[in-house]
Amino acid sequence: VQLQASGGGLVQAGGSLRLSCTASGNIFSINDMGWYRQAPGKQRELVAVIGRGGLTDYTDSVKGRFTISRDNAKNTVYLQMNSLKPEDTAVYYCNIKGRRTMLASSRDYWGQGTQVTVSS
C-alpha cells in the first residue's frame, strides 16, 4: 500500500492550500483517514481525521479554518486549509487505517510528507 501526498507549498499568511493524498496498491478497506503535521523541534500531532462515514474531528488550533474530506471511490483524503498562519508551517503527513485483506488486522499507513510553509 502506498500513499502519495501532494499540494504543499509556500503561501503567505491568510492564504489557502489544499492537500491531497491517494492510497494505492493492495488494500481491502480503509477506515479512518487523517492528516498529521510535524514542525521543527516538535512532536507529530494529529490535525484532522475523518471516518469512513464522514464524521470529522480537528485539533483546536485549526477548527474553523481547515476542512477534511474524502472520496472513498478514489481512496483519497483532502485537507482544505484556509486562513493559514505562520504557526501552521510544518511537514504534513497523511495517514490511513486500513486492512489489506478481509481477515487482516487494521494497521496504519503513512504518506511521505509534504511541506507547508506559511510566511508572515
Side-chain angles (χ1 to χ4, degrees), residues 9-52:
L10 173 64
V11 65
Q12 288 187 331
S16 299
L17 286 173
R18 188 190 194 210
L19 306 183
S20 300
C21 178
T22 298
S24 62
N26 185 20
I27 188 158
F28 173 74
S29 66
I30 298 174
N31 297 318
D32 292 348
M33 305 181 83
W35 290 93
Y36 289 70
R37 66 185 179 187
Q38 187 166 19
K42 295 188 177 181
Q43 289 188 329
R44 190 175 296 189
E45 65 168 346
L46 176 63
V47 176
V49 62
I50 182 168
R52 185 167 182 82

Side-chain angles (χ1 to χ4, degrees), residues 37-76:
R37 66 185 179 187
Q38 187 166 19
K42 295 188 177 181
Q43 289 188 329
R44 190 175 296 189
E45 65 168 346
L46 176 63
V47 176
V49 62
I50 182 168
R52 185 167 182 82
L55 288 176
T56 60
D57 200 6
Y58 301 88
T59 190
D60 286 346
S61 62
V62 308
K63 285 181 180 178
R65 300 187 297 121
F66 291 10
T67 302
I68 189 170
S69 60
R70 65 190 284 172
D71 184 332
N72 291 331
K74 296 180 179 179
N75 288 343
T76 299

